[in-house]
Amino acid sequence: NIYKADNSIGDGITAVLYTLNNENDIFDCLTSILNTGYDQLLVVDGESDDNTVPIAEKFEVEIIKSKRGFNFQRSAALAKTKHKYLIGLEADHRYPGEFCLKMKNYLKKTDLISAQAKLKVIGANNYFENGLKAFYEIHQDAQNKADIIGGPSIIYSKFLRDHLMASTFKGGSADTERSEIIKNLGFKVGYAPIYAYQYEKMNLKIFFDKYYWYGKGDHHFYKAFSKQWNFKRRLRSLFHVFNRYIIKYPIKMIKTGKIKYVPYLWFSALIRYYGWLIERIKDR
């Protein structure tokens, strides 16, 4: 309620697009954002060495050049944020009309401190891309509850300044760390019944790299927090991927007629555990 009632800054929306070598997506992404109802649009670039920035400069947006890394880019964005609501956007997403305004209106009427839009995969052309599409359909389901949220999401900018600026995680564990901090503070997060569209080209190499990156993040998160957890909480963290990707979601896939994408889930789980194990070995 304190953050809802805060009037120290304008009641508008700052939309932040974080970029790093997104020359293939930036034009279509920014074009989709223009009619979404934001009051301020920032493009925070983390040292791209392709045409991301020159393409962004063709739009009426404020471009901020930051040191590479999510925490650096987020800090750079907050230094320029003028409004009460901050929406983090990603270049491989496309945003429908009034997306930002709808996200703000949804957050205002809930008891959530942050909400994530649901994602629909568009332009899926092969097994891996259709597997990701099926995963989102199962993962997001019809419910609005969530333990961990990523992008695109909305949050009160003052809360972000007050509580999340000390976070140090990067890569695949950044969202997990942020959600853990929010949960420990007693706040809630969840899904908004609002969709954005994900356009992600994927092949075997991209598939492997994606889930290996998540696996590395899983280990970084476990290493940082496991010492303060009890035995039960440690087991839950270790078996989280197994329970979800090997058992729970495959059962849902079978029940909804998506059985051919069960191997997508199983292999993604194996790759995540492989990434976890490699990071574990490196730490020794």
Side-chain angles (χ1 to χ4, degrees):
N1 288 333
I2 292 173
Y3 291 103
K4 280 179 178 288
D6 177 50
N7 292 315
S8 61
I9 53 178
D11 192 54
I13 304 164
T14 294
V16 182
L17 178 62
Y18 299 102
T19 60
L20 173 61
N21 293 334
N22 298 117
E23 66 179 5
N24 294 326
D25 284 304
I26 186 71
F27 183 86
D28 289 341
C29 179
L30 281 174
T31 299
S32 74
I33 293 172
L34 296 180
N35 297 312
T36 55
Y38 59 83
D39 298 282
Q40 178 188 20
L41 177 58
L42 306 175
V43 173
V44 185
D45 186 74
E47 300 178 333
S48 291
D49 53 16
D50 64 0
N51 289 316
T52 297
V53 172
I55 295 171
E57 288 173 342
K58 297 177 182 179
F59 294 80
E60 292 184 5
V61 299
E62 184 176 353
I63 298 173
I64 303 169
K65 294 183 180 180
S66 163
K67 195 173 178 180
R68 181 176 299 191
F70 177 71
N71 291 321
F72 296 115
Q73 290 174 254
R74 181 185 57 191
S75 297
L78 273 174
K80 296 288 186 177
T81 295
K82 298 178 181 178
H83 299 287
K84 182 174 181 176
Y85 302 92
L86 188 146
I87 296 183
L89 306 175
E90 298 178 17
D92 62 346
H93 297 158
R94 309 291 180 262
Y95 303 95
E98 297 189 335
F99 173 82
C100 291
L101 185 60
K102 289 177 180 178
M103 290 290 286
K104 169 188 169 181
N105 290 338
Y106 177 77
L107 187 65
K108 287 177 70 173
K109 69 181 183 181
T110 71
D111 62 349
L112 304 176
I113 198 68
S114 181
Q116 178 186 331
K118 295 182 178 182
L119 291 169
K120 287 183 179 179
V121 172
I122 57 173
N125 292 313
N126 59 38
Y127 180 82
F128 296 104
E129 292 166 8
N130 279 294
L132 182 64
K133 180 179 180 180
F135 165 75
Y136 277 135
E137 291 169 355
I138 294 296
H139 176 64
Q140 294 167 162
D141 207 29
Q143 59 186 342
N144 293 327
K145 294 181 180 179
D147 293 322
I148 299 171
I149 61 173
S153 60
I154 185 169
I155 193 168
Y156 293 99
S157 58
K158 189 174 187 302
F159 177 85
L160 188 57
R161 287 191 178 96
D162 289 348
H163 298 292
L164 299 181
M165 292 310 296
S167 61
T168 58
F169 281 28
K170 57 184 179 180
S173 58
D175 292 338
T176 312
E177 183 206 22
R178 180 177 65 174
S179 297
E180 185 78 2
I181 293 171
I182 291 173
K183 182 170 62 177
N184 289 340
L185 290 169
F187 291 92
K188 299 177 184 178
V189 298
Y191 283 109
I194 299 162
Y195 283 90
Y197 303 97
Q198 178 153 339
Y199 181 80
E200 182 174 356
K201 288 294 183 182
M202 189 178 293
N203 53 32
L204 179 59
K205 182 182 184 305
I206 295 172
F207 171 78
F208 179 88
D209 291 345
K210 181 184 184 75
Y211 288 99
Y212 182 81
W213 184 72
Y214 282 136
K216 290 170 60 178
D218 293 338
H219 179 264
H220 295 160
F221 177 75
Y222 181 84
K223 179 183 177 182
F225 288 99
S226 60
K227 291 182 180 179
Q228 56 188 297
W229 291 339
N230 59 32
F231 181 71
K232 183 178 179 181
R233 178 65 181 87
R234 291 181 186 179
L235 284 179
R236 185 155 63 90
S237 179
L238 290 171
F239 285 95
H240 165 74
V241 171
F242 181 88
N243 290 334
R244 177 173 285 184
Y245 288 75
I246 302 295
I247 300 175
K248 183 179 178 181
Y249 285 1
I251 291 173
K252 285 188 175 184
M253 288 280 195
I254 294 169
K255 287 182 177 179
T256 54
K258 300 180 178 70
I259 188 171
K260 68 179 180 179
Y261 298 116
V262 169
Y264 178 96
L265 296 172
W266 288 345
F267 282 115
S268 62
L270 290 174
I271 295 167
R272 283 183 75 152
Y273 277 122
Y274 176 70
W276 193 100
L277 181 61
I278 293 300
E279 289 302 298
R280 184 73 171 180
I281 293 172
K282 287 180 180 178
D283 280 343
R284 292 193 168 185

